[in-house]
Amino acid sequence: MTAKKDLLTIWDFSAEEVRSILNRSIALKSGVDRMKCPLIGKSIGLFFEKPSTRTRVSFEVGVYQLGAQPIVLSPRELQLGRGETIADTARTLSRYLHGMVMRVFQHDTVAEFARHASIPVINGLSNAHHPCQAFADVMTVQERKGRTDGIRFAFIGDGNNVAHSLIEIAARTGLDFVIAAPEGYDPDPAVVQRARSAGGRIAIVRDAREAAAGADVLYTDVWVSMGQEAEADEKVEKFRSFQINDDLLGRAKPDAMVLHCLPAVRGNEITDAVMDGPHSAIFAQAENRLHTEKALLEYLVS
Ligand code: CP
Ligand code: NVA
């Protein structure tokens, strides 16, 4: 029996594995193997400590389309909510399920579960990483630009979970990554350092206009992530000049594309005009969550 494989961060996948997931996602989107059910007879747990629209529904639909049974779980419904340990929950659920997707507040929770589970564990977002999102984002770049290598990818905003996974996948796929963030909101230096050591071109600047200049992709995420509500007023004030608007878009390449992982706070990190305008690939990006989740499940679970 081969050892199970998890997706906790992008580093769990080599550059070749990332490429192969992206190619398979594009193939699945084209409709090949539509009627095949490679996961027939299997059951996949979908555990959410926080709200979710895209991750929850794309995984649930993806599991169904692959022929397996999705089981959506929340801490309240499990004995976890009454103090059963993560380790005992992982040991138990491994006896029923064939894979587990987890959205958690603390990254340690999904890491601890994965350590004690004998089934593949997929991080569906933690405070520190959002690897599934990064796969869909880079798939969208590959589809629209025909390549990833050398693409100038400008992330405008918080050095958060989404930024971390993008920095890591940039190193795996050759994106030329720049983040513009206010002082105090840079990505984790350890994430940046590791990506640079793996050959990633990662730059950090303070001026959104500098990051946007000549960009192929402009990307943003909310200024206030789930769990940061207490800091909301302070963050919104500090991020005011980190909005993707027509002025910023005008500094990017004429054929630049705009991405946002969603949900968006329209009028904060992105204007309506840009979000609904011709450069936006945001809803195609959201759709791609389905195709990449299916490719990931097929690779990890079958
Ligand atoms: N982008 C993303 O993960 O969306 P949800 O929070 O709706 O799952
Ligand atoms: N950074 C955001 C991403 C939501 C998909 C959050 O963690 O809330």
Side-chain angles (χ1 to χ4, degrees):
M1 199 179 138
T2 52
K4 63 111 177 192
K5 185 173 172 70
D6 303 313
L7 173 59
L8 302 186
T9 75
I10 293 295
W11 300 128
D12 288 321
F13 281 53
S14 67
E16 293 68 33
E17 288 176 307
V18 169
R19 182 57 52 201
S20 142
I21 293 294
L22 294 173
N23 290 340
R24 183 64 180 151
S25 304
I26 289 169
L28 287 168
K29 185 172 183 174
S30 79
V32 298
D33 299 338
R34 197 193 296 276
M35 300 312 287
K36 292 203 181 140
C37 296
L39 302 192
I40 197 148
K42 301 200 163 157
S43 300
I44 309 295
L46 308 174
F47 174 82
F48 288 87
E49 284 184 351
K50 317 189 209 187
S52 170
T53 297
R54 282 140 288 270
T55 307
R56 152 83 200 264
V57 179
S58 62
F59 266 112
E60 189 162 351
V61 171
V63 166
Y64 169 77
Q65 290 183 2
L66 293 172
Q69 172 200 30
I71 303 179
V72 180
L73 302 163
S74 76
R76 263 192 334 278
E77 296 157 328
L78 297 178
Q79 296 287 8
L80 261 179
R82 294 182 54 250
E84 187 170 16
T85 67
I86 296 280
D88 288 347
T89 306
R91 291 181 186 111
T92 305
L93 293 182
S94 294
R95 304 290 177 123
Y96 310 133
L97 300 174
H98 301 88
M100 184 77 163
V101 177
M102 300 183 76
R103 169 164 290 194
V104 296
F105 281 98
Q106 296 306 319
H107 189 77
D108 281 353
T109 304
V110 64
E112 164 94 351
F113 189 98
R115 258 195 308 282
H116 296 280
S118 58
I119 54 174
V121 176
I122 297 175
N123 177 3
L125 180 147
S126 65
N127 61 321
H129 298 275
H130 196 1
C132 298
Q133 182 66 50
F135 274 103
D137 300 342
V138 176
M139 174 186 173
T140 314
V141 173
Q142 176 71 40
E143 272 182 320
R144 303 261 167 145
K145 299 287 173 195
R147 66 191 168 95
T148 53
D149 202 36
I151 289 286
R152 183 171 167 84
F153 191 107
F155 185 104
I156 312 296
D158 195 11
N160 62 14
N161 45 6
V162 170
H164 289 163
S165 292
L166 283 169
I167 286 168
E168 294 171 352
I169 210 164
R172 287 288 192 246
T173 60
L175 295 173
D176 199 351
F177 185 95
V178 55
I179 177 168
E183 194 156 2
Y185 296 95
D186 284 350
D188 181 345
V191 168
V192 175
Q193 182 50 46
R194 185 162 176 195
R196 286 181 177 149
S197 307
R201 290 184 298 278
I202 315 296
I204 301 174
V205 300
R206 293 277 167 256
D207 184 346
R209 291 165 303 185
E210 185 185 341
D216 295 291
V217 182
L218 290 182
Y219 193 109
T220 191
D221 182 14
V222 288
W223 294 337
V224 182
S225 286
M226 289 179 277
Q228 297 183 336
E229 290 72 16
E231 305 162 50
D233 290 349
E234 187 190 344
K235 286 192 89 175
V236 168
E237 209 41 58
K238 289 189 175 152
F239 279 84
R240 285 263 176 243
S241 61
F242 293 82
Q243 181 190 64
I244 300 189
N245 51 30
D246 284 328
D247 172 56
L248 210 65
L249 184 56
R251 294 167 192 270
K253 288 207 179 119
D255 64 348
M257 65 193 280
V258 176
L259 298 177
H260 189 312
C261 58
L262 300 176
V265 181
R266 287 167 175 259
N268 271 7
E269 73 274 4
I270 190 165
T271 58
D272 283 330
V274 173
M275 190 149 162
D276 302 326
H279 293 267
S280 169
I282 291 170
F283 293 99
Q285 173 191 9
E287 177 191 329
N288 286 341
R289 291 293 305 274
L290 173 63
H291 309 298
T292 47
E293 319 305 27
K294 284 171 69 180
L296 287 166
L297 286 164
E298 195 185 62
Y299 181 61
L300 293 172
V301 176
S302 46

